[in-house]
Amino acid sequence: LTHNMASLSLNDVFSGVKISQFPPPPSGKVITLPADMTVEQAVKELSKANILAAPVYNPESTEEDSWSTKYVGVLDAVGIVFAMLDSYDVGAKHGFWEQMAVEKKFGNTKIGDLAGTFRWGPFIPLEPDSSLLDALLLMGKYGVHRLPVVEVVGDMTNILTQSSIVKMLNDNADLFTLVGKQTLADVGLADPAPQGVFSVPIDSPTVDAFKLIRDKGVSAVAVTGRQGLLIGTVSARDVRAVLSSPKLFSVLSQPLSHFFEQIHRLEADLRSPAVQCSPTDTLQAVIAKLSTVKIHRVFLCDKEGRPLRVVSLSDVISQYVVEPDNYFGSYFCHGLPVGPGI
């Protein structure tokens, strides 16, 4: 983005930026999975690439096919792990892959057969000439976490994530000061959540935290200590730890404190820290925290440190744009299947 854009309205600024300007994935290519791959093979591919989700394509499609013919959805490894929690044996000592091998719901199941189940993600693509405004609205207002970038003929060139959008906002903070200087209280993000913050005590079994995330349809829960003070968080992204070290699956019956210790021994950045914010924090300050620590949420806490609400990436992104009337029209009619929990 350039400084001569600063005098324009933010909608105008973002509509003038093509998403083709975003850098490609670190590996240089987008990881995709064929629909005839087994669940076990697919999850191993995701684990090897250190990612949690990937687009699924129809192996019978051709290069000339449109994206709606070529792609059938997005497979989310979080959903696979969460689906295994109901049959989790607290007394078992085997790891993740051994558990998957005995799961009747998986076995030799092809990932294409899972469309519309578990956390099967919607395939909502943009084209390289789409604008940054499109991406911000989809992620901020509609809560879409990943946006594949596809050519008209169906070739995928990139995947935009909420994290990459927040990094862009942080890197160009001087262009957005009119919005960025507003506080959480100014934009209505400082009031306690009506339903409270979903939380689990630090001495609870780890599996309870993952089940709460799954059953409430949220992306994370707070971990609290004495008197309900915030001391940590467990998110859906912590499934990465189970995939990176499958033996961790056997300790999900242990207290969260033990699970955290095991993750720390493996690799410190596998865990998402619990970061606090206050009503007087500006949007830019929150964005800086989200971008720098590489997290998807911060917790608004009272003076003693009890969590009152979650301020998510989507909450922050949505403050920077306003959706014009009928902007997307019938766009969502072309989306591919969405399963429960999305």
Side-chain angles (χ1 to χ4, degrees):
L1 302 182
T2 58
H3 284 271
N4 60 9
M5 292 181 169
S7 62
L8 301 173
S9 74
L10 289 187
N11 267 30
D12 289 339
V13 170
F14 296 134
S15 64
V17 178
K18 303 301 181 185
I19 58 174
S20 58
Q21 297 179 31
F22 273 75
S27 64
K29 66 176 182 178
V30 177
I31 303 296
T32 58
L33 306 169
D36 58 359
M37 177 179 280
T38 67
V39 173
E40 181 176 356
Q41 291 172 325
V43 175
K44 285 183 176 179
E45 285 295 313
L46 294 176
S47 177
K48 184 169 65 175
N50 195 31
I51 57 177
L52 287 176
V56 178
Y57 66 89
N58 177 2
E60 297 180 359
S61 63
T62 67
E63 292 184 359
E64 290 74 26
D65 286 333
S66 66
W67 67 261
S68 59
T69 299
K70 189 170 185 177
Y71 295 100
V72 300
V74 177
L75 181 70
D76 190 340
V78 173
I80 302 299
V81 175
F82 282 4
M84 295 167 61
L85 295 180
D86 287 331
S87 57
Y88 181 75
D89 184 354
V90 296
K93 299 300 181 182
H94 52 250
F96 176 74
W97 300 118
E98 290 84 355
Q99 178 68 23
M100 176 171 279
V102 300
E103 286 282 347
K104 293 182 179 179
K105 66 171 66 75
F106 298 133
N108 292 320
T109 301
K110 309 297 184 184
I111 57 176
D113 296 333
L114 297 181
T117 64
F118 308 126
R119 286 170 63 99
W120 184 269
F123 190 86
I124 301 177
L126 294 175
E127 295 179 3
D129 285 340
S130 297
S131 72
L132 183 55
L133 178 63
D134 300 332
L136 287 164
L137 288 171
L138 288 169
M139 291 181 172
K141 180 172 182 179
Y142 296 98
V144 179
H145 289 185
R146 305 175 186 89
L147 289 169
V149 181
V150 296
E151 301 284 357
V152 175
V153 294
D155 290 332
M156 190 176 302
T157 59
N158 207 349
I159 293 184
L160 295 188
T161 64
Q162 289 184 332
S163 296
S164 65
I165 295 294
V166 166
K167 183 179 185 304
M168 179 277 300
L169 292 175
N170 187 53
D171 291 346
N172 295 277
D174 56 336
L175 299 180
F176 314 131
T177 53
L178 287 179
V179 175
K181 69 181 181 181
Q182 297 185 76
T183 67
L184 294 180
D186 292 336
V187 297
L189 292 176
D191 297 325
Q195 77 277 17
V197 175
F198 296 117
S199 62
V200 290
I202 186 66
D203 56 0
S204 297
T206 303
V207 69
D208 288 357
F210 283 123
K211 284 183 176 180
L212 185 61
I213 291 172
R214 180 196 64 185
D215 296 343
K216 297 300 183 180
V218 294
S219 59
V221 294
V223 178
T224 55
R226 293 180 180 179
Q227 300 179 332
L229 303 185
L230 179 70
I231 58 175
T233 183
V234 173
S235 75
R237 293 175 66 200
D238 288 320
V239 166
R240 285 190 307 160
V242 176
L243 299 182
S244 298
S245 182
K247 289 184 179 179
L248 277 178
F249 193 76
S250 64
V251 302
L252 293 186
S253 60
Q254 299 297 313
L256 282 161
S257 55
H258 179 70
F259 184 71
F260 288 162
E261 290 173 3
Q262 294 299 312
I263 292 179
H264 183 72
R265 290 175 185 173
L266 291 170
E267 188 177 347
D269 67 357
L270 278 175
R271 265 198 67 210
S272 299
V275 176
Q276 297 187 26
C277 63
S278 70
T280 57
D281 281 348
T282 64
L283 286 172
Q284 179 49 42
V286 172
I287 282 178
K289 291 179 181 180
L290 293 169
S291 180
T292 303
V293 189
K294 298 181 180 180
I295 51 177
H296 286 189
R297 70 205 56 79
V298 292
F299 290 89
L300 180 74
C301 296
D302 63 18
K303 294 181 180 179
E304 286 74 35
R306 298 180 186 87
L308 300 176
R309 74 173 295 155
V310 175
V311 179
S312 68
L313 284 175
S314 294
D315 292 331
V316 175
I317 292 172
S318 66
Q319 302 304 315
Y320 282 75
V321 287
V322 177
E323 182 177 5
D325 292 339
N326 199 35
Y327 184 75
F328 286 109
S330 60
Y331 175 77
F332 290 105
C333 296
H334 304 290
L336 292 174
V338 182
I342 300 301

